[in-house]
Amino acid sequence: MTSNEGGATYAAAGVDIEAGDRAVELMKQWVKKANRPEVVGGLGGFAGLFDASAFKRYERPLLATATDGVGTKVALASAMDKHDTIGHDLVGMVVDDLVVCGAEPLFMTDYICVGKVVPERVAQIVKGIAEGCALAGCALIGGETAEHPGLLGPDEYDVAGAGTGVVEADALLGAERVRAGDVVIAMAASGLHSNGYSLVRHVLLNQAGWKLDRQVEEFGRTLGEELLEPTRIYSLDCLALARATEIHAFSHVTGGGLAANLARVIPDGLHARLDRGTWTPMPVFQTVAKVGGMKALEIEKTLNMGVGMVAVVPPSSVDVVLALLEDRGVEAWLLGDVVERTDEHDGGAALYNSYEGFTLA
């Protein structure tokens, strides 16, 4: 047998297995908070297990799956050394894609790639993911933390996740249900959510030279605190609406903006008219537009402008939807309607008129 004394080691290459083990121990307390009775076993296996026997109550269960990350928002978390909310963003980006089709989010797995494993930092990231899963009603059943020295700097990391949900085939929501005369209802965003941060960072940090600790009067807090505001998670709100009344479609407003995402659930031959005059974008959107001297088309195709989720419903459901969202603490309002496509109105969706108290070029 030959000795490895003086030979190459994994630790010398920059990978600390013991640090990874410590990170797993630290994160266990948080993962326990993101559980469902269908979860089988605990953390540490090669695969997460979920008891699917509950699907027996479905006539035709459809599994829905989605995967996403949080983009360059992680750069802000790193810069501020605050890592306990970025996981919340990750969950929101995944589960709210699932619920758009009416699926109940069941479980998530995560992938955390780091330049160097700092157990306390990894545990904080997982804490945010677990708390987000608890808010979404789903379980965190597994994940992976990978150390990539040389590819990422010691303080750099990225996160991604995948989720699975289930919906009864007869309850599937989407463009097939949308009809002329339907009403479009907006649900307020908590802020920028997790899209467009390359633009926001370019405008405010690079062009304007603002610092993350800058106090911004319009925000009532620092720039960094505003930019790290967690993504709102709508999944349980949307599921409550679908159980209470007739819903035709949801649209999760992410990259591409409000009109482009809503267009994904508007069938051929119809057009969604969205009225800017029904709301005033939050100060962070106004600030980015003003400081960057941005045109309406550019900012609206990048940022959510304060609308994070949209419901398309028949007129008979409007009062129920607005009342239920108010009861659940979600600000909502009538955003527009769906009409037959004409020479005047192309297909998809478009924004009309001007924002209340806010002008874009």
Side-chain angles (χ1 to χ4, degrees):
M1 180 179 294
T2 59
S3 170
N4 194 48
E5 183 176 353
T9 66
Y10 214 5
V15 177
D16 189 340
I17 295 176
E18 291 183 358
D21 292 339
R22 291 197 301 275
V24 171
E25 287 302 313
L26 289 174
M27 70 177 69
K28 282 182 178 180
Q29 62 175 311
W30 303 115
V31 175
K32 288 179 181 178
K33 299 178 182 297
N35 203 5
R36 287 177 59 117
E38 300 96 336
V39 175
V40 177
L43 205 62
F46 286 95
L49 299 175
F50 191 89
D51 184 354
S53 61
F55 295 169
K56 292 177 181 177
R57 70 175 185 268
Y58 290 81
E59 291 293 326
R60 185 187 169 204
L62 300 180
L63 292 180
T65 184
T67 186
D68 212 336
V70 295
T72 59
K73 192 170 184 176
V74 295
L76 298 174
S78 292
M80 296 181 65
D81 195 23
K82 180 173 173 55
H83 312 283
D84 61 347
T85 61
I86 204 73
H88 185 129
D89 293 294
L90 177 64
V91 175
M93 297 302 290
V94 173
V95 300
D96 287 337
D97 277 355
L98 291 175
V99 81
V100 159
C101 68
E104 176 188 0
L106 299 174
F107 57 83
M108 273 192 66
T109 57
D110 63 56
Y111 177 75
I112 303 171
C113 179
V114 302
K116 176 180 175 60
V117 171
V118 178
E120 293 76 14
R121 181 190 300 155
V122 172
Q124 285 297 294
I125 297 170
V126 174
K127 173 179 182 285
I129 298 173
E131 290 176 341
C133 284
L135 287 172
C138 69
L140 179 60
I141 65 170
E144 172 73 7
T145 299
E147 193 169 25
H148 289 174
L151 180 63
L152 297 172
D155 294 325
E156 294 179 330
Y157 65 88
D158 198 9
V159 295
T164 298
V166 63
V167 59
E168 184 67 73
D170 290 345
L172 188 67
L173 304 179
E176 295 78 9
R177 293 177 178 259
V178 176
R179 301 288 183 267
D182 279 353
V183 177
V184 182
I185 296 176
M187 300 180 219
S190 58
L192 293 167
H193 284 186
S194 300
N195 296 104
Y197 274 79
S198 294
L199 170 67
V200 173
R201 290 166 58 240
H202 175 68
V203 168
L204 299 183
L205 304 184
N206 298 337
Q207 285 189 338
W210 288 14
K211 303 299 182 183
L212 292 174
D213 60 359
R214 177 190 179 112
Q215 287 288 336
V216 182
E217 183 179 353
E218 294 85 351
F219 302 163
R221 53 184 171 177
T222 67
L223 174 63
E225 289 169 338
E226 178 69 29
L227 298 186
L228 274 191
E229 178 67 34
T231 301
R232 172 169 276 168
I233 296 175
Y234 301 91
S235 57
L236 292 183
D237 303 309
C238 291
L239 291 173
L241 294 179
R243 294 183 183 114
T245 190
E246 183 178 356
I247 303 291
H248 288 168
F250 290 116
S251 176
H252 186 199
V253 184
T254 56
L258 174 55
N261 278 285
L262 181 57
R264 297 164 68 179
V265 296
I266 302 299
D268 292 341
L270 298 183
H271 176 77
R273 303 181 300 188
L274 310 177
D275 185 359
R276 294 185 184 94
T278 61
W279 87 102
T280 302
M282 301 155 68
V284 67
F285 300 100
Q286 301 184 40
T287 298
V288 173
K290 181 179 179 180
V291 174
M294 298 186 64
K295 303 293 186 182
L297 180 62
E298 186 63 31
I299 193 168
E300 288 177 340
K301 74 178 184 182
T302 307
L303 305 180
N304 67 53
M305 302 306 290
V307 179
M309 182 70 77
V310 170
V312 182
V313 307
S316 59
S317 294
V318 170
D319 289 344
V320 174
V321 168
L322 292 176
L324 184 54
L325 288 174
E326 182 179 11
D327 288 344
R328 297 182 65 86
V330 180
E331 181 185 358
W333 64 92
L334 299 181
L335 177 62
D337 60 1
V338 179
V339 298
E340 297 283 355
R341 180 176 178 176
T342 65
D343 292 338
E344 180 183 359
H345 304 302
D346 293 333
L351 289 153
Y352 296 87
N353 305 320
S354 299
Y355 292 110
E356 183 70 28
F358 173 44
T359 302
L360 278 170

